Amino acid sequence: MLLFLGDQNSEHAIRGRQDRVAIGPVSYHSSMRPKPIAKSAEHGKPSSLPKAFGPLSRKGFEIKFLGHAQSILTGEFGDALSEISGVLDRVELPITEIIGSGGGETKFTQRLRRALAALGWQKHEFKIAKTIDGVQRESISHEVDHVKRFDAGAIACEIEWNNKDPFFDRDLENFKRLHAEGAISAAILITRGKSLQNALWDAVQRFAADRGIQDMDLLAQHSVVPTPKQRANILKRVNRKGDPLPFVQAWTDNFVSNKFGQATTHWSKLMDRVDRGVGNPCPLLLIGLPASILVFDAAPVEAVTDDDLKVSDAGSNLQE
């Protein structure tokens, strides 16, 4: 999938960038009383989560169960929880992969997908057909990136690392329809957590500071080449007469707002959907990746291809 890299000419695209955000308490939902999925979950102690999720809780993963998903998954799909937790407990996100990723899937997403696939979480296309007197009248299909069948039923899982936020609507509605048809027992959705989203500006600025990047030439030496529109926006803010910005701040603002802006898939956008009842009543496990998975490595940045630059300059690139 893709990452939106359109240009945004706004000094305030990234707010609160100077403040590091502490990893907050894990959010979860475990009420046994019937409640609509839109009901906000209460914050609780890590001990209230399934035992398999203890390591994730300690690392700051956001974890939310909706629609009785906790009782369903812990009661009948303990192996699924253990597998998901085991994979996520080992994930790391090098800063160089954030900086150097272009079109297509990131290496981070590919590693996560391969780890799930190795455990049997394979891509699957569900086909649902309506037949009248032996004649098929209509058919609809739903493709899910990761599905695994257990004795008690099937669990669907989607990863929305960095896509346009309407993809949450697609995923949640697919889960709802598949659950209504009895095709799945519950669904899991993994995305960037709040702490990771809030930490991105500082992380990108630290990358530039650690490598002594102070201008476009030094940026290019690290295989980072802004599109013509992005370059013009950065230099305009650096060279203006009134209140010019340091190069690192102008580039960081532009990079983060274009690549990981508010219109992409992250925890707050997902919460907006479930609070409105999107996906209800499918039992859902929602997981937010935390800032603690970031690793500040010294590896070289993988160069973005010419095709990546063409697509991103058109403002239509998405990346998963």
Side-chain angles (χ1 to χ4, degrees):
M1 297 188 186
L2 306 167
L3 162 69
F4 178 69
L5 293 179
D7 193 62
Q8 296 183 13
N9 186 18
S10 170
E11 295 187 20
H12 306 289
I14 303 298
R15 298 188 178 276
R17 55 180 177 264
Q18 302 296 345
D19 298 323
R20 290 189 179 275
V21 178
I23 296 174
V26 172
S27 177
Y28 72 100
H29 183 287
S30 59
S31 173
M32 295 303 295
R33 298 187 300 275
K35 290 183 180 179
I37 198 169
K39 185 72 175 181
S40 296
E42 298 294 328
H43 290 282
K45 297 180 180 180
S47 60
S48 300
L49 292 170
K51 183 177 180 180
F53 278 8
L56 300 188
S57 172
R58 289 187 287 273
K59 289 185 176 181
F61 280 79
E62 282 163 292
I63 302 167
K64 185 185 287 286
F65 291 91
L66 295 172
H68 305 301
Q70 182 161 348
S71 59
I72 293 170
L73 291 171
T74 56
E76 300 187 76
F77 298 93
D79 288 346
L81 293 181
S82 295
E83 290 173 359
I84 294 293
S85 177
V87 168
L88 294 178
D89 187 35
R90 296 189 295 271
V91 299
E92 289 185 344
L93 177 58
I95 186 64
T96 49
E97 292 183 11
I98 289 179
I99 301 298
S101 53
E105 286 195 341
T106 63
K107 290 183 177 180
F108 168 76
T109 312
Q110 291 172 2
R111 288 194 301 273
L112 187 52
R113 292 198 183 285
R114 285 196 296 267
L116 288 172
L119 294 173
W121 295 80
Q122 303 286 342
K123 179 175 288 190
H124 181 74
E125 183 178 27
F126 292 92
K127 295 181 179 180
I128 301 171
K130 182 177 180 180
T131 302
I132 301 176
D133 292 335
V135 179
Q136 183 174 306
R137 296 297 186 182
E138 61 183 68
S139 177
I140 188 171
S141 63
H142 304 280
E143 186 175 82
V144 179
D145 284 340
H146 300 281
V147 176
K148 186 168 182 180
R149 299 188 183 280
F150 299 85
D151 291 341
I155 305 296
C157 177
E158 290 282 10
I159 303 168
E160 293 296 354
W161 159 246
N162 197 28
N163 216 323
K164 286 185 176 179
D165 65 301
F167 276 74
F168 280 146
D169 298 290
R170 180 205 67 174
D171 294 338
L172 292 170
E173 287 300 324
N174 276 349
F175 292 157
K176 175 183 177 179
R177 287 189 287 266
L178 290 170
H179 180 257
E181 295 291 346
I184 61 174
S185 299
I188 302 169
L189 208 162
I190 302 168
T191 190
R192 292 198 310 275
K194 186 176 180 179
S195 69
L196 179 54
Q197 177 69 12
N198 290 339
L200 286 171
W201 197 94
D202 283 336
V204 172
Q205 184 190 46
R206 175 178 166 181
F207 164 84
D210 287 350
R211 305 203 179 198
I213 296 173
Q214 295 294 332
D215 54 39
M216 288 291 180
D217 290 338
L218 290 172
L219 196 61
Q221 290 179 20
H222 290 278
S223 302
V224 182
V225 182
T227 69
K229 288 184 179 180
Q230 293 165 356
R231 180 186 179 94
N233 178 258
I234 294 167
L235 294 179
K236 178 181 179 181
R237 300 175 71 198
V238 170
N239 297 324
R240 65 192 180 191
K241 292 183 179 181
D243 193 25
L245 294 181
F247 177 83
V248 171
Q249 181 178 341
W251 172 71
T252 302
D253 278 355
N254 186 276
F255 181 91
V256 177
S257 64
N258 280 310
K259 185 172 277 194
F260 298 101
Q262 288 302 308
T264 59
T265 49
H266 58 93
W267 189 257
S268 295
K269 290 295 185 178
L270 179 56
M271 293 302 100
D272 289 344
R273 266 71 178 183
V274 298
D275 285 345
R276 295 199 308 265
V278 182
N280 184 24
C282 178
L284 295 171
L285 166 56
L286 311 177
I287 301 175
L289 301 167
S292 62
I293 68 173
L294 280 169
V295 177
F296 289 89
D297 60 327
V301 176
E302 182 175 321
V304 177
T305 67
D306 290 340
D307 288 341
D308 292 328
L309 291 175
K310 290 176 183 177
V311 175
S312 63
D313 201 27
S316 60
N317 195 26
L318 289 175
Q319 169 189 334
E320 187 184 59

